[in-house]
Amino acid sequence: MRSVPRLWLAWAVAVVPLIATAAAAQDPDRAKLAITDPAHADADFAFQGEYVGPVFAGGTRWSHQHAGLQVVALGDGAFQAALYRGGLPGWGWDRSSRIELTGTRRRGVLDLLGDGAIITVRPPTGPPLRKGGEGGSASILSGGRPLLGTLHKVRRTSPTLGAPPPPGAVVLFGGTSLEKLDSGRISPEGWLMENANRKDIFFEHPYRDFFLHLEFRLSYMPYARGQGRSNSGVYIQSRYEVQILDSFGLQGKENECGGLYRLRSPEINMCLPPLSWQTYDIEFTAARFDAAGRKSRDARITVLHNGVPIHTDFAIPNKTGAGQTEGPKALRTKLQHHGDPIRFRNIW
C-alpha cells in the first residue's frame, strides 16, 4: 500500500492556535501604517488572500477532495497561513482540520512551510483561469512527494452585500447624509469614515429591538498585531460589542472579528481579507426588566457575518467589555472608533 503523505495525516491532528505575532520586534510607527486604497498597498498584498481547489488525499487509495488556504501578510515579505480540508471557512471547510504555516516571499514567490507541507504561492500573472478567481495560485506538496494539487486565488463576497433596505426601514447611512448619525465624515467615495477627533459614531436615536444591516471594510495593516489590526466594533445599545478586527486567517476568538467581545467566540471565523467589503446582519432583542428595575430576561442576539450565522439566538448574560451597564432604558448603538481607519456603508 502506498504510504500516506504526512500533510494529510495531519488533518486529524489538533493544531495549536495560529501565531499572530512576528519573531522580530515591531516598530510602533510601522504598526500604525494603515492602507485604505489597494493601489497603495505593498508587494505582499498580491499574495495575501484566499485560495481554493482540488487536491489528492492519501488513504487506502488515492481520493479527491478540496482544500482552502488563507494567506496573511505580516510585513516585509513575512507571512502566516492556514490550510483547511474541504474548502474555506463557510465554503466547504469541515470545521475541524486546519494546518498552520509560515513563510517568506523571495524573488517574487512565497514559500510556506508547516507540518510537512510545502506550499508555493505565486501572484497573478494574467487574467484569472476561472470565474470569480483573481489569477494567483498555490501549489501544494508534502514531504518531497509529487504535486498534490493547485489552489486558485478567489475573491469571496457576502451574499447580503448591497442588500437594499426593506420598506419602512430607517436608513442610517446611505452615502449622502449624516443626519441620522451624530458624528463621522463622508469620504469622497461616499463611505462613512471616522472623525479626526477620534469620536465614536452614534446612531441618532436609540432602538430597543431591531434588525441591523451594515457593511464595513478593514484597512490593510500588515505590521500591526492583535487588537491593533483594524480595530472597531458595533456597540449594540452601547452595551454589547460585536467586535470588528482584522482577524483574517486566525482561529476566531471572543476578542476577534465577529466575537461578542471577551464573552463569546464566533461559531466560525468568517473574516475576509482586509480591503474587502464585509457584512454584519444583526437581529437584536433587548433585555427585559420588571417594574422594580430587575432584569427578567436576557438580551438575545443573532449575527450573520458575510451571510454565515456566527451567533444564533444567543442569550447575552451581561454587558461586554467596556459597554454601559445593563438597564431598562434603551441606549444608542454606536460604531467604535479605536484609532484605525475603518470604512462603513449601507447601514439600515
Side-chain angles (χ1 to χ4, degrees):
M1 181 176 66
R2 192 168 185 174
S3 60
V4 182
R6 186 181 172 204
L7 167 62
W8 300 109
L9 286 175
W11 288 126
V13 180
V15 185
V16 296
L18 191 66
I19 299 172
T21 58
Q26 295 297 308
D27 183 329
D29 291 332
R30 298 180 84 189
K32 296 176 183 177
L33 175 67
I35 305 298
T36 59
D37 184 346
H40 300 151
D42 58 13
D44 292 345
F45 185 74
F47 293 83
Q48 177 168 277
E50 298 187 307
Y51 302 74
V52 68
V55 293
F56 288 104
T60 56
R61 58 184 179 181
W62 289 100
S63 60
H64 212 53
Q65 60 183 257
H66 273 70
L69 176 71
Q70 293 183 323
V71 178
V72 182
L74 299 177
D76 292 335
F79 289 83
Q80 63 188 28
L83 182 65
Y84 306 87
R85 186 173 69 178
L88 294 164
W91 212 24
W93 179 42
D94 65 9
R95 298 201 182 194
S96 63
S97 303
R98 182 174 178 274
I99 293 175
E100 296 161 3
L101 309 97
T102 58
T104 304
R105 174 178 60 84
R106 292 188 179 91
R107 295 183 293 276
V109 175
L110 167 62
D111 287 321
L112 296 166
L113 305 174
D115 206 27
I118 303 171
I119 301 180
T120 299
V121 183
R122 294 178 174 83
T125 56
L129 298 177
R130 59 184 63 190
K131 184 178 180 180
E134 290 201 300
S137 65
S139 301
I140 305 178
L141 298 92
S142 181
R145 294 182 180 275
L147 181 69
L148 296 179
T150 299
L151 313 183
H152 295 279
K153 194 173 187 183
V154 295
R155 178 177 298 212
R156 292 193 286 172
T157 58
S158 168
T160 69
L161 195 68
V170 176
V171 178
L172 298 167
F173 181 74
T176 59
S177 172
L178 297 173
E179 66 178 348
K180 297 294 184 182
L181 307 170
D182 81 338
S183 183
R185 295 178 291 167
I186 301 177
S187 75
E189 300 88 354
W191 305 333
L192 178 63
M193 60 185 295
E194 72 285 346
N195 278 326
N197 58 8
R198 296 173 59 97
K199 286 181 63 177
D200 295 334
I201 301 174
F202 283 85
F203 298 171
E204 182 184 29
H205 298 294
Y207 298 95
R208 187 174 300 278
D209 303 334
F210 57 82
F211 177 92
L212 172 67
H213 173 88
L214 66 84
E215 302 175 8
F216 63 94
R217 193 171 87 159
L218 305 169
S219 51
Y220 174 55
M221 302 181 68
Y223 297 102
R225 301 291 182 266
Q227 296 295 299
R229 202 167 167 108
S230 284
N231 192 325
S232 181
V234 183
Y235 265 85
I236 305 297
Q237 282 202 354
S238 295
R239 293 176 169 123
Y240 319 102
E241 182 184 8
V242 182
Q243 175 78 313
I244 292 176
L245 191 77
D246 178 11
S247 52
F248 170 65
L250 304 184
Q251 286 191 325
K253 298 297 184 182
E254 74 283 347
N255 64 345
E256 295 176 359
C257 202
L260 299 178
Y261 189 65
R262 294 184 177 176
L263 173 65
R264 188 175 193 260
S265 300
E267 294 173 11
I268 186 171
N269 180 7
M270 283 304 302
C271 189
L272 297 177
L275 301 186
S276 304
W277 281 104
Q278 309 192 48
T279 60
Y280 276 160
D281 292 281
I282 301 172
E283 184 175 358
F284 176 79
T285 302
R288 297 299 195 255
F289 294 80
D290 62 21
R294 294 184 294 265
K295 187 166 72 168
S296 58
R297 191 173 71 186
D298 286 336
R300 305 191 77 90
I301 192 168
T302 293
V303 182
L304 274 63
H305 186 186
N306 294 319
V308 176
I310 59 172
H311 304 287
T312 303
D313 195 29
F314 176 71
I316 309 175
N318 207 337
K319 76 177 186 74
T320 66
Q324 297 293 312
T325 301
E326 289 187 307
K329 181 180 179 181
L331 302 179
R332 294 186 297 168
T333 293
K334 69 178 183 179
L335 305 176
Q336 182 191 43
H337 179 46
H338 207 276
D340 301 328
I342 313 299
R343 301 291 181 259
F344 298 92
R345 69 181 188 189
N346 193 22
I347 306 174
W348 48 263

